[in-house]
Amino acid sequence: MKRIALATCAKLPSLNEDDLLLVPALHELARSRAVPAVWDSPEVCWEDFHGVVVRSCWDYHHRLEEFLAWVTRLERAGVPLWNPPALLKWNSHKGYLRDLAARGVPIVPTRWLARGRQVGLAHLLRDERWGDAVVKPAVSASATDTWRTSAATAGADQSRLEALLRAGDVMVQPFIDEVCDPGEWSIIFFGGRFSHAVRKAPHGAGLPGAVGVGGTAAPWRHRPGWSRTAGAVMAAVPGHPLYARVDGWSGTVA
């Protein structure tokens, strides 16, 4: 029987409820024994596994260099990794949106700010004519350090932007009303094929967060146009993903 590692983080050493569903499924359908393994644990011998599925590594954005070094180490050791290493690396920085835009995929308008750059937030909003905007790190997960600003509050929010720029690259996007009502869509693929779609909504009037940290999700019958957009994303990603989720609003990728 093959042994499969379900890579997770130290805060979820036994996986979350959703990932635990993989254990009996892999046993029944693939005759594989799946076990949780903390990605940065020195006690794990990754070469003992027939493959590693990246699941709940939700601290990667706080330690990106270490996480990518781990991915490279497994790749060099010949340990099969899903998703593929090239895709994990590409997807770790939201600059992938620029790659998608270059391939003709519609994305939310974005101002990219390099780490250490000095930028006046109020001036940026005036230039773009954005009354409301969202500021987020280019390396982030679960809406970490993501916040809403406006022409009225940009001056007071300047210090928050400067703190983010000291830590890394930053992106600023116009606030999309649909984020709150009816919510963000997510289209899920397995093996490159469409599986299902959900509509995610934030808690109250806030920004969308991961399900379980303030956000909710419900099954959703997506529109054909949005399915085509998601398909264009899948055609543009490097490698062959075992699983993928495409997020967006009104046919535009976030």
Side-chain angles (χ1 to χ4, degrees):
M1 182 173 288
K2 294 182 178 180
R3 295 184 72 236
I4 302 296
L6 303 177
T8 184
C9 62
K11 288 187 176 181
L12 291 168
S14 300
L15 303 174
N16 59 26
E17 292 182 2
D18 289 344
D19 288 337
L20 284 172
L21 297 174
L22 283 170
V23 176
L26 286 171
H27 184 273
E28 178 181 352
L29 300 175
R31 297 190 58 82
S32 298
R33 180 170 178 262
V35 297
V38 176
W39 72 268
D40 60 343
S41 172
E43 300 177 1
V44 177
C45 181
W46 299 101
E47 289 82 357
D48 289 345
F49 293 99
H50 292 89
V52 178
V53 180
V54 175
R55 293 306 308 142
S56 300
C57 302
W58 294 124
D59 55 354
Y60 82 91
H61 54 295
H62 295 301
R63 302 160 55 197
L64 183 61
E65 290 186 6
E66 292 177 61
F67 179 76
L68 294 182
W70 171 75
V71 170
T72 298
R73 188 163 62 251
L74 267 61
E75 182 180 18
R76 290 176 176 171
V79 179
L81 190 61
W82 300 291
N83 275 321
L87 178 53
L88 291 172
K89 295 173 183 178
W90 178 79
N91 193 59
S92 67
H93 187 291
K94 296 185 188 300
Y96 65 76
L97 289 172
R98 286 180 287 195
D99 295 338
L100 294 178
R103 296 284 296 269
V105 176
I107 70 168
V108 176
T110 305
R111 282 286 297 269
W112 301 95
L113 310 178
R115 180 177 186 174
R117 182 177 172 185
Q118 295 183 348
V119 180
L121 184 57
H123 185 73
L124 185 155
L125 296 187
R126 284 196 301 270
D127 280 353
E128 298 292 344
R129 298 183 179 179
W130 294 341
D132 292 271
V134 175
V135 181
K136 64 182 76 172
V139 176
S140 183
S142 304
T144 300
D145 292 328
T146 297
W147 40 275
R148 185 174 175 179
T149 189
S150 68
T153 63
D157 290 334
Q158 180 65 32
S159 61
R160 299 178 72 184
L161 174 62
E162 292 171 354
L164 287 183
L165 284 168
R166 285 193 294 271
D169 299 337
V170 175
M171 53 197 295
V172 184
Q173 299 174 318
F175 180 77
I176 308 297
D177 290 335
E178 190 180 343
V179 170
C180 293
D181 185 17
E184 177 185 58
W185 51 257
S186 292
I187 299 178
I188 292 86
F189 295 80
F190 293 122
R193 296 184 178 183
F194 168 77
S195 171
H196 60 284
V198 298
R199 175 73 82 176
K200 297 186 295 184
H203 177 69
L207 293 170
V211 176
V213 292
T216 60
W220 173 62
R221 293 188 65 181
H222 63 289
R223 299 178 183 177
W226 297 347
S227 180
R228 287 193 293 271
T229 298
V233 172
M234 294 300 295
V237 301
H240 302 283
L242 176 66
Y243 56 92
R245 190 192 77 217
V246 181
D247 298 333
W249 310 281
S250 298
T252 300
V253 176

